[in-house]
Amino acid sequence: MARTIQSLERAAAMLRLLAGGERRLGLSDISSSLGLAKGTAHGILRTLQQEGFVEQDPASGRYQLGAELLRLGNSYLDVHELRARALVWTDDLARSSGESAYLGVLHQHGVLIVHHVFRPDDSRQVLEVGAMQPLHSTALGKVLSAYDPVAHSEAVEAAQEAFTPRTVTGPADFEKLLDLTRARGWAADVEETWEGVASVAAPIHDRRRMPVGAVGITGAVERVCRDGELRPELVAAVRDCARAVSRDLGAGRF
């Protein structure tokens, strides 16, 4: 049998204990319930607190589950529902646009691709589900940064690498891009991440009208753009797809 890591087992038991009751628990309650020395329990609680998984009430000193743990749980549910709701609409988007369609969510300071529909032709393509994209240069990333405060903070705090001569890296210029994204409801990436490649993306909202992801298309510049500008019919198709998925998630009309 594979050996387990005792400290992780104790941390998991602590989180289950805190999740099991409505009241906050003090250090003595936690240590006695789990059969741990107070010093050991306090060390684990301090680590969990630093990671945002546990919070301590400043007045009473008692502990409760932290916002980060709750956010992770909600994001897990949201991602699975998001992908399920988007399956048909992203298929339609790829078919109508003739380009690859992507569904992305915020994850670990970047964009995690959770669904990818191949371009509807006979070309050789690689499935990119599970791939990570940068927040500051991609269309999906700009959308998340514009509408999600957490994504915005992570994009601003991260080192913004210049992938091509077109990549916007200055804080002021980046904020202007996000303002433009919010004003028109979609974001573009024309050779900012990969030379010869252009993308357009739009935000997806849930029933609470919170941004839960972004959907977009990516293809060769000569197909996605016309006379140096994104083809308006492709922008409209992406926005229609985002609205449809948002409606299916209960967001109503945007």
Side-chain angles (χ1 to χ4, degrees):
M1 180 181 293
R3 296 179 62 185
T4 58
I5 300 174
Q6 188 180 53
S7 59
L8 292 180
E9 287 183 330
R10 288 172 172 175
M14 201 169 285
L15 293 174
R16 292 192 189 99
L17 178 65
L18 291 170
E22 296 181 3
R23 62 188 179 90
R24 298 185 179 102
L25 296 176
L27 176 60
S28 296
D29 300 321
I30 294 170
S31 60
S32 61
S33 295
L34 300 178
L36 299 174
K38 284 188 178 181
T40 302
H42 185 256
I44 296 172
L45 285 167
R46 187 171 61 247
T47 302
L48 291 173
Q49 186 178 0
Q50 289 172 348
E51 296 299 323
F53 297 144
V54 164
E55 294 174 357
Q56 186 179 27
D57 180 66
S60 67
R62 291 176 174 268
Y63 296 89
Q64 65 183 18
L65 292 180
E68 178 65 14
L69 186 66
L70 300 176
R71 187 183 73 83
L72 288 175
N74 286 336
S75 66
Y76 174 83
L77 295 175
D78 287 345
V79 166
H80 283 266
E81 183 180 7
L82 171 62
R83 186 178 182 278
R85 298 286 185 178
L87 289 176
V88 172
W89 298 112
T90 49
D91 281 348
D92 287 346
L93 176 61
R95 185 164 48 250
S96 65
S97 67
E99 302 295 344
S100 299
Y102 294 87
L103 188 67
V105 299
L106 177 65
H107 181 69
Q108 294 182 350
H109 311 292
V111 183
L112 173 67
I113 303 301
V114 296
H115 186 53
H116 174 201
V117 183
F118 284 162
R119 184 171 64 254
D121 60 20
D122 295 328
S123 63
R124 183 177 180 181
Q125 301 173 61
V126 177
L127 186 66
E128 295 186 43
V129 172
M132 294 291 294
Q133 294 186 2
L135 284 169
H136 71 283
S137 62
T138 61
L140 293 171
K142 290 176 194 173
V143 164
L144 293 174
S145 300
Y147 289 91
D148 185 336
V150 176
H152 177 266
S153 296
E154 294 185 355
V156 170
E157 292 171 4
Q160 297 184 344
E161 181 180 351
F163 299 109
T164 76
R166 293 174 175 263
T167 308
V168 174
T169 57
D173 291 335
F174 183 62
E175 291 298 337
K176 288 179 182 178
L177 278 179
L178 299 188
D179 288 340
L180 178 61
T181 297
R182 286 185 287 265
R184 62 189 184 184
W186 54 275
D189 167 10
V190 181
E191 297 190 284
E192 293 178 51
T193 310
W194 303 281
E195 291 188 359
V197 177
S199 304
V200 58
I204 296 172
H205 297 81
D206 66 6
R207 63 184 62 86
R208 300 162 297 175
R209 300 223 165 191
M210 297 294 291
V212 293
V215 65
I217 59 169
T218 296
V221 171
E222 58 268 22
R223 295 195 308 267
V224 178
C225 296
R226 181 187 301 126
D227 299 325
E229 300 290 336
L230 287 162
R231 289 165 52 195
E233 65 270 24
L234 295 183
V235 174
V238 169
R239 298 192 70 190
D240 286 346
C241 178
R243 292 191 190 102
V245 178
S246 297
R247 283 197 301 270
D248 276 5
L249 289 170
R253 295 185 63 85
F254 271 86

